[in-house]
mmCIF file of all heavy atoms in Angstrom:
data_model
loop_
_atom_site.group_PDB
_atom_site.id
_atom_site.type_symbol
_atom_site.label_atom_id
_atom_site.label_comp_id
_atom_site.label_asym_id
_atom_site.label_seq_id
_atom_site.Cartn_x
_atom_site.Cartn_y
_atom_site.Cartn_z
ATOM 1 N N GLN A 1 -15.188 24.879 -14.443
ATOM 2 C CA GLN A 1 -13.922 25.400 -13.970
ATOM 3 C C GLN A 1 -14.304 26.167 -12.641
ATOM 4 O O GLN A 1 -13.579 26.026 -11.649
ATOM 5 C CB GLN A 1 -13.509 26.610 -14.936
ATOM 6 C CG GLN A 1 -12.271 27.339 -14.507
ATOM 7 C CD GLN A 1 -11.969 28.331 -15.584
ATOM 8 O OE1 GLN A 1 -12.353 28.354 -16.688
ATOM 9 N NE2 GLN A 1 -11.221 29.445 -15.028
ATOM 10 N N LEU A 2 -15.428 26.842 -12.403
ATOM 11 C CA LEU A 2 -15.900 27.302 -11.276
ATOM 12 C C LEU A 2 -16.016 26.222 -10.201
ATOM 13 O O LEU A 2 -15.672 26.451 -8.969
ATOM 14 C CB LEU A 2 -17.200 28.126 -11.434
ATOM 15 C CG LEU A 2 -17.853 28.849 -10.102
ATOM 16 C CD1 LEU A 2 -16.856 29.674 -9.545
ATOM 17 C CD2 LEU A 2 -19.008 29.436 -10.449
ATOM 18 N N ALA A 3 -16.605 25.147 -10.599
ATOM 19 C CA ALA A 3 -16.774 24.140 -9.639
ATOM 20 C C ALA A 3 -15.543 23.566 -9.055
ATOM 21 O O ALA A 3 -15.345 23.208 -7.916
ATOM 22 C CB ALA A 3 -17.537 22.850 -10.354
ATOM 23 N N GLU A 4 -14.464 23.456 -9.925
ATOM 24 C CA GLU A 4 -13.139 22.839 -9.470
ATOM 25 C C GLU A 4 -12.564 23.860 -8.447
ATOM 26 O O GLU A 4 -11.971 23.586 -7.517
ATOM 27 C CB GLU A 4 -12.275 22.750 -10.760
ATOM 28 C CG GLU A 4 -12.586 21.670 -11.740
ATOM 29 C CD GLU A 4 -12.299 20.223 -11.233
ATOM 30 O OE1 GLU A 4 -11.743 20.177 -10.064
ATOM 31 O OE2 GLU A 4 -12.564 19.304 -11.933
ATOM 32 N N GLN A 5 -12.845 25.214 -8.776
ATOM 33 C CA GLN A 5 -12.226 26.278 -7.849
ATOM 34 C C GLN A 5 -13.061 26.196 -6.438
ATOM 35 O O GLN A 5 -12.335 26.237 -5.387
ATOM 36 C CB GLN A 5 -12.553 27.604 -8.334
ATOM 37 C CG GLN A 5 -11.815 28.719 -7.570
ATOM 38 C CD GLN A 5 -12.071 30.122 -8.134
ATOM 39 O OE1 GLN A 5 -12.307 31.129 -7.402
ATOM 40 N NE2 GLN A 5 -11.938 30.209 -9.495
ATOM 41 N N LEU A 6 -14.205 25.950 -6.436
ATOM 42 C CA LEU A 6 -15.002 25.802 -5.235
ATOM 43 C C LEU A 6 -14.643 24.547 -4.465
ATOM 44 O O LEU A 6 -14.596 24.581 -3.287
ATOM 45 C CB LEU A 6 -16.523 25.942 -5.360
ATOM 46 C CG LEU A 6 -17.041 27.336 -6.088
ATOM 47 C CD1 LEU A 6 -18.411 27.209 -6.332
ATOM 48 C CD2 LEU A 6 -16.693 28.565 -5.036
ATOM 49 N N ALA A 7 -14.477 23.475 -5.332
ATOM 50 C CA ALA A 7 -14.214 22.240 -4.662
ATOM 51 C C ALA A 7 -12.899 22.290 -3.861
ATOM 52 O O ALA A 7 -12.821 21.737 -2.761
ATOM 53 C CB ALA A 7 -14.175 21.139 -5.727
ATOM 54 N N ALA A 8 -11.940 22.803 -4.454
ATOM 55 C CA ALA A 8 -10.687 22.940 -3.761
ATOM 56 C C ALA A 8 -10.821 23.751 -2.350
ATOM 57 O O ALA A 8 -10.213 23.316 -1.428
ATOM 58 C CB ALA A 8 -9.661 23.856 -4.610
ATOM 59 N N ARG A 9 -11.579 24.715 -2.402
ATOM 60 C CA ARG A 9 -11.840 25.600 -1.148
ATOM 61 C C ARG A 9 -12.745 24.677 -0.243
ATOM 62 O O ARG A 9 -12.533 24.738 1.064
ATOM 63 C CB ARG A 9 -12.451 26.885 -1.483
ATOM 64 C CG ARG A 9 -11.602 27.779 -2.183
ATOM 65 C CD ARG A 9 -12.330 29.206 -2.581
ATOM 66 N NE ARG A 9 -11.484 29.980 -3.286
ATOM 67 C CZ ARG A 9 -10.676 30.897 -2.779
ATOM 68 N NH1 ARG A 9 -10.841 31.133 -1.400
ATOM 69 N NH2 ARG A 9 -10.108 31.815 -3.375
ATOM 70 N N LEU A 10 -13.860 23.995 -0.617
ATOM 71 C CA LEU A 10 -14.664 23.246 0.367
ATOM 72 C C LEU A 10 -13.832 22.135 1.001
ATOM 73 O O LEU A 10 -14.112 21.688 2.078
ATOM 74 C CB LEU A 10 -15.840 22.661 -0.448
ATOM 75 C CG LEU A 10 -16.987 23.698 -0.732
ATOM 76 C CD1 LEU A 10 -17.939 23.093 -1.803
ATOM 77 C CD2 LEU A 10 -17.784 24.028 0.440
ATOM 78 N N ARG A 11 -12.777 21.602 0.381
ATOM 79 C CA ARG A 11 -12.138 20.412 0.879
ATOM 80 C C ARG A 11 -11.511 20.884 2.190
ATOM 81 O O ARG A 11 -10.985 19.996 2.999
ATOM 82 C CB ARG A 11 -11.187 19.879 -0.178
ATOM 83 C CG ARG A 11 -11.729 19.108 -1.318
ATOM 84 C CD ARG A 11 -10.807 18.493 -2.230
ATOM 85 N NE ARG A 11 -11.501 18.067 -3.399
ATOM 86 C CZ ARG A 11 -11.313 18.494 -4.588
ATOM 87 N NH1 ARG A 11 -10.507 19.579 -4.825
ATOM 88 N NH2 ARG A 11 -11.953 18.036 -5.689
ATOM 89 N N GLU A 12 -11.182 22.168 2.278
ATOM 90 C CA GLU A 12 -10.576 22.664 3.538
ATOM 91 C C GLU A 12 -11.539 22.882 4.727
ATOM 92 O O GLU A 12 -11.104 23.222 5.805
ATOM 93 C CB GLU A 12 -9.835 24.064 3.255
ATOM 94 C CG GLU A 12 -8.776 23.830 2.021
ATOM 95 C CD GLU A 12 -7.631 22.904 2.290
ATOM 96 O OE1 GLU A 12 -7.143 22.954 3.393
ATOM 97 O OE2 GLU A 12 -7.414 22.096 1.448
ATOM 98 N N VAL A 13 -12.827 22.720 4.438
ATOM 99 C CA VAL A 13 -13.793 23.077 5.433
ATOM 100 C C VAL A 13 -13.733 21.790 6.434
ATOM 101 O O VAL A 13 -13.853 20.746 6.080
ATOM 102 C CB VAL A 13 -15.155 23.163 4.909
ATOM 103 C CG1 VAL A 13 -16.182 23.336 5.937
ATOM 104 C CG2 VAL A 13 -15.198 24.435 4.025
ATOM 105 N N ASP A 14 -13.730 22.087 7.741
ATOM 106 C CA ASP A 14 -13.817 21.062 8.815
ATOM 107 C C ASP A 14 -15.024 20.235 8.553
ATOM 108 O O ASP A 14 -16.099 20.705 8.414
ATOM 109 C CB ASP A 14 -13.751 21.669 10.211
ATOM 110 C CG ASP A 14 -12.510 22.287 10.543
ATOM 111 O OD1 ASP A 14 -11.433 21.980 9.923
ATOM 112 O OD2 ASP A 14 -12.453 23.021 11.421
ATOM 113 N N GLY A 15 -14.861 18.906 8.696
ATOM 114 C CA GLY A 15 -15.866 17.926 8.562
ATOM 115 C C GLY A 15 -16.190 17.514 7.123
ATOM 116 O O GLY A 15 -16.999 16.517 6.917
ATOM 117 N N VAL A 16 -15.550 18.101 6.109
ATOM 118 C CA VAL A 16 -15.761 17.703 4.747
ATOM 119 C C VAL A 16 -14.632 16.685 4.422
ATOM 120 O O VAL A 16 -13.400 17.069 4.396
ATOM 121 C CB VAL A 16 -15.767 18.882 3.759
ATOM 122 C CG1 VAL A 16 -15.666 18.402 2.456
ATOM 123 C CG2 VAL A 16 -16.820 19.838 4.068
ATOM 124 N N ALA A 17 -15.091 15.512 4.019
ATOM 125 C CA ALA A 17 -13.870 14.387 3.753
ATOM 126 C C ALA A 17 -13.590 14.503 2.239
ATOM 127 O O ALA A 17 -12.511 14.229 1.902
ATOM 128 C CB ALA A 17 -14.657 13.016 4.063
ATOM 129 N N ALA A 18 -14.533 14.713 1.424
ATOM 130 C CA ALA A 18 -14.133 14.716 -0.070
ATOM 131 C C ALA A 18 -15.135 15.633 -0.771
ATOM 132 O O ALA A 18 -16.453 15.741 -0.375
ATOM 133 C CB ALA A 18 -14.138 13.363 -0.557
ATOM 134 N N VAL A 19 -14.659 16.173 -1.862
ATOM 135 C CA VAL A 19 -15.603 16.911 -2.848
ATOM 136 C C VAL A 19 -15.216 16.586 -4.242
ATOM 137 O O VAL A 19 -14.074 16.690 -4.602
ATOM 138 C CB VAL A 19 -15.419 18.427 -2.561
ATOM 139 C CG1 VAL A 19 -16.501 19.162 -3.580
ATOM 140 C CG2 VAL A 19 -15.691 18.790 -1.118
ATOM 141 N N ASP A 20 -16.259 16.036 -5.000
ATOM 142 C CA ASP A 20 -15.949 15.556 -6.336
ATOM 143 C C ASP A 20 -16.748 16.478 -7.310
ATOM 144 O O ASP A 20 -17.865 16.953 -6.999
ATOM 145 C CB ASP A 20 -16.414 14.186 -6.455
ATOM 146 C CG ASP A 20 -15.559 13.198 -5.736
ATOM 147 O OD1 ASP A 20 -14.383 13.444 -5.632
ATOM 148 O OD2 ASP A 20 -16.249 12.218 -5.120
ATOM 149 N N VAL A 21 -16.155 16.799 -8.383
ATOM 150 C CA VAL A 21 -16.982 17.565 -9.535
ATOM 151 C C VAL A 21 -17.498 16.451 -10.452
ATOM 152 O O VAL A 21 -16.761 15.773 -10.858
ATOM 153 C CB VAL A 21 -15.996 18.569 -10.067
ATOM 154 C CG1 VAL A 21 -16.692 19.243 -11.315
ATOM 155 C CG2 VAL A 21 -15.383 19.482 -9.208
ATOM 156 N N ALA A 22 -18.798 16.652 -10.654
ATOM 157 C CA ALA A 22 -19.473 15.811 -11.632
ATOM 158 C C ALA A 22 -20.052 16.459 -12.663
ATOM 159 O O ALA A 22 -20.616 17.484 -12.556
ATOM 160 C CB ALA A 22 -20.462 14.765 -10.845
ATOM 161 N N GLY A 23 -20.256 15.670 -13.962
ATOM 162 C CA GLY A 23 -20.923 16.297 -14.996
ATOM 163 C C GLY A 23 -20.561 17.628 -15.441
ATOM 164 O O GLY A 23 -19.331 17.931 -15.431
ATOM 165 N N PRO A 24 -21.551 18.612 -15.718
ATOM 166 C CA PRO A 24 -21.157 19.861 -16.192
ATOM 167 C C PRO A 24 -20.719 20.783 -15.097
ATOM 168 O O PRO A 24 -20.178 21.968 -15.361
ATOM 169 C CB PRO A 24 -22.429 20.342 -16.766
ATOM 170 C CG PRO A 24 -23.516 19.624 -15.889
ATOM 171 C CD PRO A 24 -22.989 18.216 -15.752
ATOM 172 N N GLY A 25 -20.698 20.310 -13.835
ATOM 173 C CA GLY A 25 -20.311 21.263 -12.721
ATOM 174 C C GLY A 25 -20.950 21.052 -11.426
ATOM 175 O O GLY A 25 -20.988 21.912 -10.521
ATOM 176 N N PHE A 26 -21.561 19.954 -11.199
ATOM 177 C CA PHE A 26 -22.112 19.553 -9.849
ATOM 178 C C PHE A 26 -21.056 19.319 -8.963
ATOM 179 O O PHE A 26 -19.960 18.603 -9.269
ATOM 180 C CB PHE A 26 -23.088 18.366 -9.991
ATOM 181 C CG PHE A 26 -24.381 18.625 -10.836
ATOM 182 C CD1 PHE A 26 -24.439 18.183 -12.126
ATOM 183 C CD2 PHE A 26 -25.421 19.271 -10.207
ATOM 184 C CE1 PHE A 26 -25.575 18.507 -12.852
ATOM 185 C CE2 PHE A 26 -26.526 19.617 -11.010
ATOM 186 C CZ PHE A 26 -26.728 19.208 -12.363
ATOM 187 N N LEU A 27 -21.296 19.665 -7.688
ATOM 188 C CA LEU A 27 -20.473 19.278 -6.523
ATOM 189 C C LEU A 27 -21.008 18.332 -5.760
ATOM 190 O O LEU A 27 -22.145 18.528 -5.195
ATOM 191 C CB LEU A 27 -20.096 20.674 -5.825
ATOM 192 C CG LEU A 27 -19.232 21.815 -6.463
ATOM 193 C CD1 LEU A 27 -19.227 23.031 -5.567
ATOM 194 C CD2 LEU A 27 -17.737 21.210 -6.704
ATOM 195 N N ASN A 28 -20.338 17.176 -5.556
ATOM 196 C CA ASN A 28 -20.790 16.069 -4.678
ATOM 197 C C ASN A 28 -19.847 16.071 -3.389
ATOM 198 O O ASN A 28 -18.656 15.963 -3.495
ATOM 199 C CB ASN A 28 -20.624 14.666 -5.355
ATOM 200 C CG ASN A 28 -21.693 14.528 -6.443
ATOM 201 O OD1 ASN A 28 -22.760 15.209 -6.367
ATOM 202 N ND2 ASN A 28 -21.449 13.802 -7.495
#
C-alpha cells in the first residue's frame, strides 16, 4: 500500500517514465 502511494508520486518526477510495484512492495 505504501509502495503504491509512493509510485503515484514518483511517476510525476521529471525523467521518470514508469514506476511499477512488484512483489511485497518493491518499486521498479
Side-chain angles (χ1 to χ4, degrees):
Q1 181 184 338
L2 177 56
E4 294 286 0
Q5 185 182 141
L6 296 177
R9 292 175 179 269
L10 280 171
R11 293 184 187 111
E12 303 300 315
V13 174
D14 288 343
V16 173
V19 182
D20 298 315
V21 178
F26 292 100
L27 291 170
N28 292 330

